[in-house]
Amino acid sequence: MTPRVLISDAMDPRAAQIFRERGIAVDEITGQSPDALRSIIGDYDGLAIRSSTKVTRELIDAASSLKVVGRAGIGVDNVDIPAATARGVVVMNTPFGNSITTAEHAIALIFALARQLPEADASTQAGKWEKNRFMGVEVTGKTLGLIGAGNIGSIVASRALGLRMKVVAYDPFLTPERAVELGIEKTELDELLRRADFITLHTPLTDQTRNILSRDALAKTKPGVRIVNCARGGLVDEAALKDGLDSGHIGGAALDVFENEPARDSPLFGTPNFISTPHLGASTSEAQVNVAIQVAEQMSDFLLLGGVTNAINMPSLSAEEAPRLKPYMALSEKLGRLIGQIVGDDVRAIAIEVEGAAAALNQKPITGAVLAGLMGTYSQSVNMVNAPVLARERGLDVREIRHDREGDYHTLVAVSVATADGEKRVEGTLFGNRAPRLVNIFGIPVEAELNGQMIYIVNTDAPGFIGALGTTLGENGINIATFNLGRRKEAGEAVALVSVDDPITPEVARQLRQLPGVLKVVPLSF
């Protein structure tokens, strides 16, 4: 079935063109009210947005077919990420399409603050020629403090170093090695505030970064500091910023973003040495084309190939990796579903191990598939997006283990769970690198496909059991498709995985449990 995508915000025409070239049906319906958007969203697999569309919980609830939301830009403040994740909807952004544009805007504002360009322009055009009033400062030799040294911050750093500035950075995720590579100095926030002549912010808005430049933080800054924010509104305490400008402690500030947008009556407006722009960080013709192309390509890769790029709420999986990982993910989902159906709610921790050829792959999608299979036995509408969240909500400890060794099989995925009765472990491999097979269940070697309706039976190994099992199923009109057996030792505990053409009803399961030697019966569905 052809995927359908809705573009709900004005976007460069290349986005729609790419969707159509890739064989995806696309509608461009912009400027809709929330009620109007909810009335049509149920028809679409994908939603491509800019900043105008608000992807609320109510919209997501109405989007019965929605699989992916693509934000042409960086910020996803207008998307309810927890609601999307709970519904298994992937949320993507395009963090690289407007990186250079945003970084250049930050540098432009640094220059504008240093030389008081807006006020000098207004004064000159008013015929005043106040040459002595606008005594600026050089940026050469000054210290630039970066709060956030990720993609955009690192570009700003490179431009600042080219201007012969010294760059210090506060970023908990910045490694010492990366700092050396960028040619900058990693420091703590208080040290940055004390030393920086200019401060520019390049971090997302989170609970940890909200008001990172608070009143207390601004009080710790160097007298005369100049502050630039082209990242997200809410990173700077705007009331405290105004007080700092009024007192002269802050030498200048330039905001491209505000806590409330559109900002029409900010108390900062009209404050001396304050510059404002209307969220222009990404507003160049090149950036608009780039983010439109990127969001269309990313969404197309996901809807057609299963590739996940720049996702906010699940691990990335490139379009090139997806075909190779697809059989492993199918195997992993089946192993998770198998152990979940047999063990039930008694799962306290889970470990996913890979070895052989599987150890050379991206393990995150394998883990996600295992969790999707496991959690799918407890909850409806589970997929790789929301399964990790559901696992955390249940308090499950999830471990990933990678072995470089190659054992009895060329490639192997093993899933172990901790239960009240000890560890339970299942193992699977791929035949011909594409066909999933179970090869061990709870320490008993067995070879079985995991498909359709099945029965898991544990019994004491004794003559006549298979005949009794077949007779009971036959009397109930249930046809056996395949029969897979394994045992620990002769006359010991044995397992049977029986594939059948019809679901096993509670009554049939009861009859099977009454057969001599039967220890456990669990109907399975894949």
Side-chain angles (χ1 to χ4, degrees):
M1 187 174 178
T2 302
R4 296 188 65 190
V5 167
L6 172 65
I7 298 176
S8 62
D9 289 335
M11 203 171 294
D12 188 273
R14 277 289 291 152
Q17 181 181 340
I18 288 171
F19 282 127
R20 295 187 179 105
E21 288 173 353
R22 297 286 297 271
I24 293 175
V26 59
D27 294 323
E28 297 176 87
I29 307 174
T30 62
Q32 296 294 295
S33 69
D35 287 343
L37 193 55
R38 281 197 298 271
S39 70
I40 62 174
I41 192 62
D43 296 332
Y44 296 96
D45 303 284
L47 175 64
I49 64 171
R50 292 294 312 275
S51 57
S52 296
T53 297
K54 309 303 179 187
V55 185
T56 62
R57 182 177 298 275
E58 291 75 19
L59 182 62
I60 292 169
D61 288 343
S64 55
S65 301
L66 193 64
K67 301 175 180 65
V68 58
V69 173
R71 164 72 161 94
I74 297 177
V76 288
D77 306 59
N78 54 324
V79 181
D80 189 328
I81 304 294
T85 302
R87 284 290 302 273
V89 176
V90 176
V91 179
M92 301 174 173
N93 67 351
T94 56
F96 305 110
N98 53 17
S99 299
I100 290 176
T101 295
T102 304
E104 288 183 352
H105 194 61
I107 293 293
L109 291 177
I110 288 173
F111 274 118
L113 285 174
R115 302 306 295 269
Q116 297 175 275
L117 296 182
E119 291 174 292
D121 170 71
S123 171
T124 303
Q125 293 204 46
K128 296 181 180 180
W129 201 258
E130 299 176 293
K131 186 174 181 178
N132 294 330
R133 175 185 168 195
F134 301 108
M135 187 63 63
V137 297
E138 293 181 355
V139 298
T140 300
K142 299 298 191 297
T143 297
L144 173 64
L146 292 177
I147 297 179
N151 185 42
I152 296 174
S154 64
I155 297 172
V156 170
S158 71
R159 304 300 191 265
L161 291 170
L163 296 171
R164 301 297 188 265
M165 300 183 80
K166 178 177 178 59
V167 181
V168 298
Y170 167 71
D171 188 330
F173 302 102
L174 177 66
T175 64
E177 295 77 15
R178 177 60 174 162
V180 170
E181 181 183 337
L182 293 173
I184 65 180
E185 178 186 347
K186 181 176 180 178
T187 186
E188 294 302 317
L189 181 59
D190 282 356
E191 179 72 5
L192 180 150
L193 298 175
R194 184 182 66 80
R195 293 170 55 187
D197 299 294
F198 292 82
I199 295 174
T200 180
L201 297 104
H202 304 286
T203 180
L205 180 65
T206 66
D207 290 340
Q208 290 71 39
T209 62
R210 187 179 301 278
N211 275 349
I212 192 167
L213 287 187
S214 63
R215 185 174 296 276
D216 288 343
L218 291 172
K220 297 175 183 178
T221 57
K222 188 175 185 178
V225 67
R226 291 168 171 84
I227 296 169
V228 173
N229 185 12
C230 292
R232 310 305 297 174
L235 298 177
V236 182
D237 183 331
E238 295 175 11
L241 180 64
K242 176 173 173 53
D243 290 343
L245 288 167
D246 289 339
S247 70
H249 176 78
I250 297 174
L255 299 187
D256 184 49
V257 290
F258 292 82
E259 187 169 3
N260 297 304
E261 294 185 2
R264 302 190 188 280
D265 58 355
S266 171
L268 284 162
F269 292 165
T271 303
N273 300 315
F274 175 69
I275 300 171
S276 60
T277 52
H279 208 143
L280 297 180
S283 295
T284 64
S285 56
E286 294 90 346
Q288 299 309 301
V289 173
N290 288 340
V291 295
I293 290 173
Q294 287 183 18
V295 78
E297 289 178 343
Q298 290 176 193
M299 292 176 68
S300 297
D301 283 345
F302 176 75
L303 291 170
L304 299 175
L305 303 174
V308 181
T309 306
N310 297 323
I312 304 298
N313 56 350
M314 75 171 291
S316 291
L317 172 64
S318 71
E320 291 73 28
E321 287 179 306
R324 188 179 177 197
L325 274 164
K326 188 173 181 180
Y328 283 95
M329 291 162 65
L331 168 65
S332 301
E333 193 274 339
K334 290 177 185 293
L335 293 177
R337 189 165 184 82
L338 172 66
I339 206 165
Q341 291 180 90
I342 293 175
V343 174
D345 283 341
D346 187 22
V347 178
R348 304 176 183 187
I350 182 167
I352 298 97
E353 300 178 52
V354 293
E355 67 178 54
L361 302 174
N362 180 355
Q363 192 172 351
K364 289 297 182 184
I366 292 174
T367 298
V370 170
L371 294 177
L374 176 68
M375 302 311 299
T377 61
Y378 312 138
S379 306
Q380 298 291 326
S381 302
V382 176
N383 61 17
M384 289 177 58
V385 178
N386 54 18
V389 176
L390 295 173
R392 286 195 297 271
E393 289 176 350
R394 294 177 69 91
L396 293 186
D397 175 42
V398 180
R399 291 186 297 136
E400 295 176 321
I401 303 170
R402 186 188 304 270
H403 300 292
D404 292 332
R405 67 174 185 256
E406 185 173 315
D408 295 335
Y409 296 91
H410 170 63
T411 188
L412 190 79
V413 177
V415 179
S416 305
V417 296
T419 74
D421 295 329
E423 182 181 88
K424 306 293 184 182
R425 178 183 176 93
V426 295
E427 300 175 356
T429 189
L430 295 177
F431 282 9
N433 289 323
R434 65 179 183 274
R437 292 287 191 281
L438 176 71
V439 294
N440 193 291
I441 181 167
F442 304 156
I444 299 177
V446 62
E447 182 187 318
E449 295 185 53
L450 300 175
N451 290 312
Q453 304 297 321
M454 302 187 75
I455 323 168
Y456 167 72
I457 302 174
V458 182
N459 62 284
T460 52
D461 185 26
F465 171 73
I466 294 176
L469 174 61
T471 298
T472 301
L473 292 175
E475 289 174 346
N476 284 277
I478 297 174
N479 186 54
I480 295 175
T482 61
F483 209 117
N484 305 279
L485 299 171
R487 63 182 183 179
R488 296 188 192 279
K489 61 181 181 179
E490 186 176 345
E493 186 179 283
V495 298
L497 277 168
V498 185
S499 178
V500 293
D501 291 342
D502 301 289
I504 300 299
T505 65
E507 173 57 26
V508 173
R510 185 191 65 79
Q511 294 178 30
L512 294 175
R513 292 187 184 99
Q514 292 180 338
L515 294 177
V518 168
L519 304 175
K520 188 169 188 176
V521 174
V522 180
L524 305 174
S525 178
F526 296 93

